[in-house]
Amino acid sequence: MEKVVMALDQGTTSSRCILFDRKGTIIGSAQKEFRQYYPEPGWVEHDPMEIWSSQMSVMMEAMTQVGVTARDIAALGITNQRETTIVWDRKTGVPVYNAIVWQCRRTSGMIDRLKAEGFTQMIRERTGLIPDAYFSASKIAWILDHVSGAREKAERGELYFGTVDSWLIWKLTGGKVHATDYTNASRTMLFNIHTLQWDPDLLRLFNIPACMMPEVKPSSYLFGMTAEEVTGIPIRVAGAAGDQQSALFGQCCFHRGEMKNTYGTGCFLLMNTGDQPVTSEHGLVTTLTAGADDHPGYALEGSVFVAGAVIQWLRDELKMIHSAAETEQICRSVPDTGGVFLVPAFTGLGAPVWNQDARGTVIGLTRGTTRAHFVRAAVESLAYQTMDVVHAMEQDCGFSLSGLKVDGGASANDFILQFQADILRCSVERPVCTETTALGAAYLAGLAVGFWNSLDELRANWRLERSFAPTMEMKQRDALVRGWRIAEKCAGFAAEEYHRES
């Protein structure tokens, strides 16, 4: 059998394994959801051991599905939910606490204090990030401050920190490699994106021992070999990248000005800005891109905290739908939302607003509002939030978007993409392979071992499946945007009033 490349795609709600051939075609895949923990309002956690076991399970399932053995795998690449924080005992391998997920808002107060003390500019200049509980730094500090004995063990060098990629690399290699890549490091709020090192001043600011931090490597790099007890025959672990930078790479956005939007649990728009960082004046962050050398490039990013997660909420908490797939038919069953707008600020609002205190808001309800109106309003919120980020990016870069490459689970929904094209007033392009997050990880791993030899070879694999052009009348579009703006203001206003009263 011809060699294949394996991508482990460890997301916020599920673990997946996808096998790709040399053309970037999926030849096998498996997926398994895992439990979400909400111990308090605004808190989100995962069990790191369940992340590991679910990832191992789908890895074995995908291989068995198509008759692939470890000998057939040229390399293994990892892509992961970013910012999610795991701290574990380096000797026993036991996590000292659940993984604190990127969506978790428990450290908002800590971030507010740092802002009040004047650290915003320093953090922004060194990390490219806007201080927020979204990133890893305050999550690590919370674990050290709230888990009995954790700080003492950390200071003795007995604990490791890692984003999910580091955790998986450490587990896959049998505890031999404690490493991450530039893209994941750049999302911790502890990494200097100019010197490409852990920043000693930021580590001191958050009171985090430097000995906890993983070694930082390029995204396309031979991190190590899987342990025999894990895969039998060792497999080369040769790629790692945070999910959004991995999707940017998988979409072949290798040059300055190229951008993509991923509709996942959250919604993430990234634009490659080349070898120079661009500082946003409109609520975006500067981050590093995935690559194969010691000098990664830069990107502007806008992060929407709740996108596909609102569909999961409709399914799991409200029981309004049985599956995400049925939302398209439900949305088409009504001509519009009947004036309903839903802002899914379940964990605050991300870019470009960055309101930690905002919470989910629905406006426009009437006695005539139906389930279909509510579902459609939830689905349309993905397009509106993306629009906000695109407008911020256009203001920062000084040009208008002519087309947008899209991927992620919700990009399979034609209704969403048509509505997105109408709201943005530009074409929306869906590739044949929408699993570009996993594809990017596979490309990075394959490049490191010579399975693929150049970026041009990868670009030749990209194929358009469908393009969506705007068809909505401008007057209707503008009225909808005005309604969304009012709903957003209501989400922020309610939070401000609540805090003022309390």
Side-chain angles (χ1 to χ4, degrees), residues 176-193:
K176 290 184 173 63
V177 180
H178 181 221
T180 188
D181 85 303
Y182 287 126
T183 67
N184 278 294
S186 73
R187 310 298 296 185
T188 61
M189 214 161 70
L190 295 168
F191 192 71
N192 191 311
I193 63 172

Side-chain angles (χ1 to χ4, degrees), residues 22-25 250-252 254 405 432 439 443 452 454-464:
R22 205 172 297 276
K23 292 292 186 181
T25 302
Q251 284 274 33
C252 298
F254 304 136
K405 290 182 177 180
V432 170
L439 182 59
Y443 280 164
W452 290 290
S454 69
L455 298 182
D456 288 338
E457 189 178 355
L458 304 184
R459 192 181 286 278
N461 285 343
W462 194 95
R463 299 187 304 280
L464 177 69

Side-chain angles (χ1 to χ4, degrees), residues 404-416:
L404 181 66
K405 290 182 177 180
V406 297
D407 52 65
S411 68
N413 187 317
D414 288 356
F415 172 82
I416 290 177

